[in-house]
Amino acid sequence: MEGRDEETKETTKPKAKAVIVGGSIAGLSCAHALILAGWDVVVVEKSSAPPTGSPTGAGLGLEPSARKLIEAWLGRAEQLQDATLPLAVDQNNATDSEKNVSWVITRDEEFDFRAAHWTNLHGLLREELPPTVMLYGHVFLSFSLSNDKTEVRVKTKVLKTNDTIEITGNLLVAADGCLSSIRQSFLPNLKLRYSGYCAWRGVLDFSGRENSEAILGIKRAYPDLGKCLYFDLGSGTHSVLYELLNRRLNWIWYINQPEPELKGNSLTMKVSSEMIQKMHREAEKVWLPELARIMKETKEPFINVIYDCDPLERVFWDNVVLVGDAAHPTTPHGLRSTNMSISDATVLGLCLKKWGVKNLQSALCEYQSLRLPVTSKQVLHSRRLGRIKQGLPVAGWEQFDPLTTNREEWQELQQKNMPFFNEVLLPENSSI
């Protein structure tokens, strides 16, 4: 009987618990990965409810390795396939605004990404989590470690009641984005680096307008929409265009400008109708008429101010670990942010499973050793790619102009040149 009692104690002992701050894609990915590793998790999210409908959001591209990781978390692998469109081709065009003509300078037909809307991917990840995992309407306030550093205590403010509560776990996962307050507690002097440009962004819903002049025109000018990631390169500027599920077009236009003054804790700027009208006028001067028209017909375009950060030397302290944009703020030019977040979550989960909570420091050391070399190179490559396309100074390059540069330089613009492209370094003896 004594042996059976011991066995019962062993099987009923509480699981290790992680408190994840941030309920975006990085936080939800960590929740899935840590649950698979045998941990209990709770996700603290300041928003009062999950995003619904089509809020201001944007498209993203998922590489094959990231899709494989997500499919392991979902109930049916087809769910992700059904919620995305193919981006089989990566194409760079040069645009001559004076002559109103555009031509192909690079085309990679083995790109094999898929396009998703942020809201759709977030919904897929959220709906497959146990309902008790998400704590909506909880604002992160602070954290502290127990004296023996085996526990972390997280204080949050409950928006509905205004109460302050404390959540205890063995690990704090900071998935609180580019402006991470948890990261700031360890690196108070760390500053984000302004890229030198901002991005106008928009998603045009053309449901019911498939035969309109604007949509027929854009499909003629960009005949592979629905399977191609288009980059248009002008002198000192570039734009991005691709199709999303449910008849939506996602576009981005990067514009060099002095760093704007941001208000609040967001990298998205409020825009006035006057700013939008000015953007429309400028688009007609720079881009093909068909693309300018899509920008003009998009409701509620917005501006992202583009920042990144020099690679960090470490991403964990005691029982606190950074993931996603909190660990490596990056520019968008290599389609890295979401893909890196998914890889972070997977590797963290596998390291925790391998080492167990009693060897938490070893697990976090291995996570750091696997992820930092990858993310550091990817952040710097994305930075370089963005500066080249914007005609900004880059070491070893003359100022890039797509109308005059040679074919060899064009090849460097392709997405497949990203370090560790479609590759995830896993802990030894681990598999997905």
Side-chain angles (χ1 to χ4, degrees):
M1 289 294 293
E2 186 177 338
R4 179 165 295 190
D5 289 343
E6 288 300 318
E7 186 180 327
T8 303
K9 287 178 186 175
E10 185 67 25
T11 56
T12 59
K13 69 179 182 181
K15 290 181 181 179
K17 181 178 178 180
V19 181
I20 301 168
V21 174
S24 191
I25 287 172
L28 299 190
S29 297
C30 281
H32 279 285
L34 268 61
I35 288 171
L36 272 184
W39 282 56
D40 280 337
V41 298
V42 62
V43 179
V44 173
E45 169 53 41
K46 62 186 176 183
S47 302
S48 56
T52 56
S54 296
T56 297
L60 52 90
L62 294 171
E63 62 190 357
S65 60
R67 300 200 301 271
K68 181 181 177 183
L69 301 177
I70 294 170
E71 286 166 359
W73 302 333
L74 301 179
R76 292 186 302 111
E78 309 83 57
Q79 287 176 285
L80 186 60
Q81 189 86 356
D82 294 344
T84 56
L85 280 184
L87 290 177
V89 181
D90 165 26
Q91 180 168 312
N92 285 276
N93 299 332
T95 298
D96 186 333
S97 56
E98 290 186 7
K99 297 178 181 177
N100 253 351
V101 293
S102 178
W103 62 95
V104 179
I105 57 175
T106 72
R107 182 176 170 92
D108 176 9
E109 297 189 350
E110 298 179 351
F111 186 48
D112 196 24
F113 272 47
R114 290 188 73 86
H117 193 283
W118 184 95
T119 309
N120 292 355
L121 179 58
H122 187 271
L124 274 182
L125 293 171
R126 186 187 72 250
E127 287 160 12
E128 290 298 323
L129 287 171
T132 55
V133 165
M134 298 299 302
L135 290 182
Y136 282 104
H138 284 61
V139 178
F140 168 79
L141 298 175
S142 64
F143 70 91
S144 61
L145 296 176
S146 61
N147 291 334
D148 62 1
K149 296 188 177 179
T150 60
E151 289 186 341
V152 60
R153 302 183 184 99
V154 177
K155 286 189 177 179
T156 72
K157 178 182 178 181
V158 184
L159 292 179
K160 191 177 285 188
T161 62
N162 228 22
D163 292 335
T164 298
I165 66 168
E166 187 172 272
I167 306 167
T168 301
N170 305 99
L171 176 66
L172 171 59
V173 180
D176 53 341
C178 285
L179 300 172
S180 170
S181 61
I182 297 173
R183 184 187 66 219
Q184 188 177 17
S185 67
F186 295 104
L187 302 169
N189 298 319
L190 181 74
K191 304 291 184 191
L192 296 183
R193 184 201 69 94
Y194 177 57
S195 64
Y197 47 89
C198 294
W200 277 97
R201 303 194 67 166
V203 176
L204 173 68
D205 185 341
F206 62 92
S207 302
R209 302 176 50 207
E210 293 86 347
N211 295 316
S212 68
E213 190 178 329
I215 299 305
L216 292 176
I218 199 73
K219 296 271 189 178
R220 282 193 300 268
Y222 300 85
D224 287 331
L225 276 172
K227 70 172 186 179
C228 184
L229 173 64
Y230 283 104
F231 295 94
D232 277 312
L233 309 175
S235 294
T237 187
H238 78 287
S239 63
V240 185
L241 177 68
Y242 56 95
E243 187 170 345
L244 299 169
L245 197 69
N246 297 327
R247 297 178 176 82
R248 291 174 291 184
L249 294 176
N250 183 79
W251 60 266
I252 312 169
W253 177 16
Y254 297 98
I255 300 175
N256 297 339
Q257 64 176 76
E259 183 176 4
E261 184 178 341
L262 286 168
K263 296 178 181 178
N265 196 34
S266 173
L267 301 182
T268 300
M269 273 179 66
K270 300 245 180 184
V271 294
S272 64
S273 57
E274 183 181 344
M275 292 168 70
I276 294 172
Q277 288 166 14
K278 181 182 178 185
M279 180 269 288
H280 291 162
R281 292 192 297 271
E282 291 299 315
E284 289 174 352
K285 297 175 187 175
V286 174
W287 301 120
L288 295 180
E290 295 87 351
L291 179 56
R293 182 166 185 174
I294 291 300
M295 293 177 175
K296 190 172 184 178
E297 295 200 5
T298 300
K299 295 178 181 177
E300 299 180 0
F302 59 100
I303 294 177
N304 277 154
V305 186
I306 308 300
Y307 288 91
D308 68 6
C309 179
D310 289 338
L312 305 185
E313 294 181 358
R314 59 186 301 182
V315 290
F316 84 93
W317 295 261
D318 297 318
N319 294 34
V320 183
V321 64
L322 309 180
V323 299
D325 289 340
H328 35 70
T330 187
T331 56
H333 310 294
L335 289 81
R336 285 298 94 201
S337 179
T338 299
N339 290 298
M340 286 197 292
S341 296
I342 292 162
S343 296
D344 285 352
T346 299
V347 174
L348 178 60
L350 290 172
C351 288
L352 292 173
K353 183 177 182 179
K354 172 182 172 181
W355 289 97
V357 69
K358 289 184 178 178
N359 299 298
L360 184 58
Q361 296 306 299
S362 297
L364 298 181
C365 272
E366 185 165 18
Y367 163 75
Q368 179 173 272
S369 70
L370 288 167
R371 293 303 295 153
L372 266 186
V374 175
T375 59
S376 298
K377 287 184 178 180
Q378 291 186 336
V379 166
L380 294 177
H381 183 88
S382 184
R383 175 188 295 184
R384 183 173 183 272
L385 188 58
R387 292 186 67 81
I388 289 171
K389 289 184 173 184
Q390 288 299 108
L392 297 170
V394 175
W397 271 66
E398 293 185 16
Q399 186 174 24
F400 177 75
D401 187 329
L403 307 186
T404 59
T405 50
N406 61 49
R407 185 174 300 276
E408 188 176 323
E409 290 177 319
W410 293 343
Q411 299 309 311
E412 292 203 35
L413 304 176
Q414 293 189 322
Q415 292 293 316
K416 66 182 180 183
N417 294 318
M418 174 66 64
F420 300 98
F421 183 71
N422 192 33
E423 183 180 358
V424 184
L425 303 182
L426 301 178
E428 193 175 350
N429 300 323
S430 296
S431 60
I432 305 302

